[in-house]
Amino acid sequence: MPGVATDKLQTIAYPAAGARPHRRDAESLEPHVIVLFGATGDLAKRKLLPGLAYLEESALAPDIRLVATSLENYTGEQFLAIAREAVDGFGSRKLSDEQWAHFAERVTYVPQGAGPQALADAVIAAERLLGDDVRRLHYLSVPPKAAQSVITMLKDANLVDRSRVVMEKPFGTDLASAIELNDFVHDTFSEEQIFRIDHFLGKEAAQNILAFRFANGLFEPIWNRNFIDHIQIDIPEKLGLDARANFYESTGAYKDMVVTHLFQVMAFVVMEPPTALEPRAISEEKNKVFRSMLPVDTADVVRGQYTGYREEDGVARDSDTETFIALKVGIDNWRWAGVPIYLRTGKKMAEGQRIISIAFKEAPRTMFPPGSGVGSEGPDHLTFDLADESKVSLSFYGKRPGPGMKLDKLSMQFSTQETDSVGDVLEAYERLILDAMRGDHTLFTTAEGIESLWERSAQLLEDPPPVKSYPVGTWGPNAIHQLIAPNAWRLPFERAWREKKSAT
Ligand code: BG6
């Protein structure tokens, strides 16, 4: 889609130094020591360190101190240099020297190799500086195998009390390993303390799906198989592997994106109304969706690998890992039986987009004269764009001005960037770290939900169809068209999103 920078956050200014309201006034949250494992990794650099620096500076978070740790044997200064570069390079908001110094004072680095006691000492020292009733938030930004040794370390360091733990996906790689991982974690932490993060659910636009569906009488009566023809959740990425070949080779698009992000977003789109917007009620409804999902049938799956993937550093020359996947799933319940849901995601594709598209059933066309154009551009669609500038659009046929009855596909669009609250948008990780500090599980994933998804993925994991190659910069292997026929992929868009007009 031309002209839409979906990978770019708005630049939002930090609150001016000194202008920060007293934190406890906003919400009484206990001060927190955040222990960040994997503090020099890709995710920490791109999202977590910039996000924590912003939260520390904003009025939203309580007083925090960061104990950063990783396998690297860095000194405190070396780590801070890396962290500053990350915050400056990847943060969407600019940080003054004074603001950086304020944040840096609150950071300690401990190499993981220094052992549990050194980590405990650093946490206790940070807690003393924060006063009473300090809580701990352990952020495990590490691969699944490393998560187990980190949990053992936290137990050995006696850091489980008063703590919550944020875990990164993948949560296992199949049903057996997910159960094993969940059992292992439950030996140390109770489910209450565990926050399995799916950053897609932290995106403003994903939460807007809930607001849109459940706060409006207009769409509620038509949100079912009688009116909706099919649904697409399409998340192509232009990005490649960056430095993540090691992680990606053993994960692939299905485990990296579909189980964690696409299915979770799908649950927001199709779930029954929860009795309240609170964690237990929402998890219950999401888990019902996963239980009603038909097992993924390999005949409905296209796996792809971009040309040149096997030549990438860290990738096996005969790798069978998919860098692309498209699939059709069904939810076998009263609301959705017979409505196909198409999912697609992949690396090094033509565009970076994150859309959910709801296609409505078509109206009879007979009353319109031949050549009027009715129906010629597909059905009416409701489209959610999960970009940081969250957007919603409704497309429909309308009359082209002038003589006769010619129809054009028109659209009504909404974008957060056109509102006055655009500056309040929180980056997904910021929102979710705050929620975890508040103990709010609403946007996190449960052990039960993940296990049902692995169960429904068993056939695909055991007997995946062969990967088909696709050229870099395309929409995937040709087989994607057969998969969706007689429907068609919405992307690339025929009509661009309306761009914000600058004020004149
Ligand atoms: C991550 C995946 O969870 O999500 C990455 O591991 C992917 O492979 C990323 O690129 C996409 O997230 P976003 O927010 O940039 O769309």
Side-chain angles (χ1 to χ4, degrees):
M1 182 176 55
V4 177
T6 46
D7 293 325
K8 208 175 63 194
L9 275 174
Q10 308 87 350
T11 300
I12 298 169
Y14 275 84
R20 183 171 55 218
H22 193 275
R23 292 193 164 115
R24 308 286 170 84
D25 295 348
E27 190 177 12
S28 55
L29 262 181
E30 300 92 346
H32 271 75
V33 174
I34 299 181
V35 185
L36 175 59
F37 291 85
T40 55
D42 188 64
L43 178 66
K45 287 185 189 156
R46 281 176 190 279
K47 300 287 184 186
L48 304 177
L49 292 167
L52 288 168
Y54 172 68
L55 285 180
E56 205 291 318
E57 201 57 40
S58 78
L60 300 167
D63 289 336
I64 56 181
R65 292 208 160 238
L66 175 65
V67 175
T69 175
S70 81
L71 298 177
E72 308 291 342
N73 224 355
Y74 291 138
T75 63
E77 281 93 83
Q78 282 172 322
F79 175 73
L80 282 176
I82 292 168
R84 172 104 212 226
E85 202 182 310
V87 172
D88 287 347
F90 295 115
S92 51
R93 309 165 175 101
K94 295 299 143 220
L95 205 72
S96 69
D97 287 347
E98 194 191 338
Q99 284 163 333
W100 168 255
H102 186 264
F103 175 64
E105 251 172 49
R106 285 159 179 74
V107 180
T108 323
Y109 181 77
V110 191
Q112 219 165 298
Q117 194 52 48
L119 183 70
D121 291 347
V123 173
I124 289 162
E127 285 177 350
R128 288 214 181 96
L129 294 165
L130 285 169
D132 298 330
D133 301 326
V134 181
R135 297 203 66 118
R136 299 158 178 165
L137 183 73
H138 305 302
Y139 198 118
L140 275 51
S141 176
V142 296
K145 279 195 193 116
Q148 303 213 0
S149 58
V150 167
I151 286 171
T152 306
M153 184 168 183
L154 286 170
K155 199 158 141 188
D156 294 346
N158 212 3
L159 291 173
V160 176
D161 262 12
R162 290 178 282 117
S163 78
R164 299 188 176 105
V165 58
V166 179
M167 297 190 61
E168 276 288 338
K169 50 87 207 242
F171 310 110
T173 48
D174 57 15
L175 180 58
S177 60
I179 293 177
E180 195 188 312
L181 177 67
N182 285 330
D183 287 350
F184 181 86
V185 184
H186 286 149
D187 277 346
T188 305
F189 293 98
S190 66
E191 183 67 17
E192 278 260 285
Q193 289 174 288
I194 305 168
F195 292 76
R196 294 177 194 78
I197 200 163
D198 174 357
H199 78 279
F200 268 63
L201 299 187
K203 292 178 189 281
E204 289 282 356
Q207 296 157 58
N208 197 32
I209 298 170
L210 297 182
F212 192 92
R213 283 193 57 197
F214 300 128
N216 298 297
L218 178 59
F219 291 101
E220 190 274 333
I222 56 171
W223 211 260
N224 58 51
R225 66 192 155 89
N226 298 324
F227 300 93
I228 291 179
D229 186 75
H230 64 276
I231 297 174
Q232 295 181 30
I233 301 182
D234 203 359
I235 316 218
E237 296 186 280
K238 272 186 99 152
L239 281 179
L241 298 189
D242 292 334
R244 300 164 75 224
N246 195 12
F247 160 82
Y248 203 83
E249 256 289 85
S250 58
T251 312
Y254 187 73
K255 295 174 188 166
D256 181 35
M257 292 292 286
V258 178
V259 175
T260 35
H261 304 318
L262 277 70
F263 281 155
Q264 302 296 330
V265 169
M266 177 187 85
F268 272 12
V269 176
V270 302
M271 73 185 189
E272 295 299 312
T275 48
L277 286 181
E278 52 94 14
R280 200 166 51 99
I282 291 193
S283 297
E284 239 166 50
E285 296 310 333
K286 278 176 63 187
N287 292 344
K288 272 160 64 184
V289 169
F290 299 145
R291 287 202 298 272
S292 324
M293 193 174 121
L294 294 166
V296 177
D297 183 344
T298 37
D300 292 332
V301 177
V302 176
R303 289 170 76 237
Q305 190 183 72
Y306 64 77
T307 338
Y309 174 74
R310 293 180 185 176
E311 279 76 61
E312 302 268 18
D313 280 350
V315 170
R317 298 295 164 253
D318 59 350
S319 173
D320 181 53
T321 301
E322 79 280 352
T323 60
F324 169 98
I325 190 151
L327 64 159
K328 178 166 82 172
V329 298
I331 307 292
D332 196 18
N333 63 15
W334 278 65
R335 190 184 285 269
W336 295 113
V339 177
I341 303 181
Y342 304 101
L343 311 169
R344 171 170 70 170
T345 186
K347 300 288 184 199
K348 293 216 178 183
M349 292 177 60
E351 288 177 20
Q353 290 276 359
R354 308 173 191 111
I355 66 145
I356 299 168
S357 162
I358 315 283
F360 292 98
K361 296 215 157 137
E362 293 186 55
R365 300 172 186 173
T366 40
M367 74 168 73
F368 289 95
S372 71
V374 66
S376 60
E377 290 179 67
D380 301 344
H381 286 109
L382 180 63
T383 309
F384 295 90
D385 187 327
L386 300 186
D388 300 306
E389 309 87 5
S390 81
K391 301 186 191 111
V392 184
S393 129
L394 181 65
S395 71
F396 54 92
Y397 287 91
K399 185 182 169 302
R400 186 184 304 164
M405 180 55 89
K406 294 268 190 230
L407 301 176
D408 280 330
K409 194 83 178 285
L410 310 174
S411 72
M412 294 194 280
Q413 300 187 3
F414 161 80
S415 163
T416 317
Q417 64 170 341
E418 295 177 347
T419 68
D420 292 339
S421 18
V422 62
D424 297 337
V425 172
L426 281 177
E427 206 281 327
Y429 284 95
E430 295 165 0
R431 156 80 198 223
L432 294 172
I433 291 171
L434 264 183
D435 282 0
M437 286 197 275
R438 293 168 50 236
D440 183 343
H441 277 92
T442 311
L443 299 173
F444 294 83
T445 310
T446 59
E448 187 194 333
I450 289 291
E451 289 170 14
S452 322
L453 285 175
W454 286 128
E455 206 178 336
R456 271 140 197 86
S457 308
Q459 191 197 337
L460 173 63
L461 298 176
E462 271 155 34
D463 185 21
V467 287
K468 296 184 155 68
S469 76
Y470 62 98
V472 166
T474 62
W475 293 96
N478 281 335
I480 55 167
H481 301 296
Q482 283 110 278
L483 177 76
I484 202 169
N487 302 308
W489 294 99
R490 285 294 305 291
L491 294 175
F493 280 135
E494 279 152 34
R495 284 168 309 283
W497 288 100
R498 188 182 64 218
E499 283 302 286
K500 184 179 183 177
K501 303 246 180 339
S502 48
T504 45

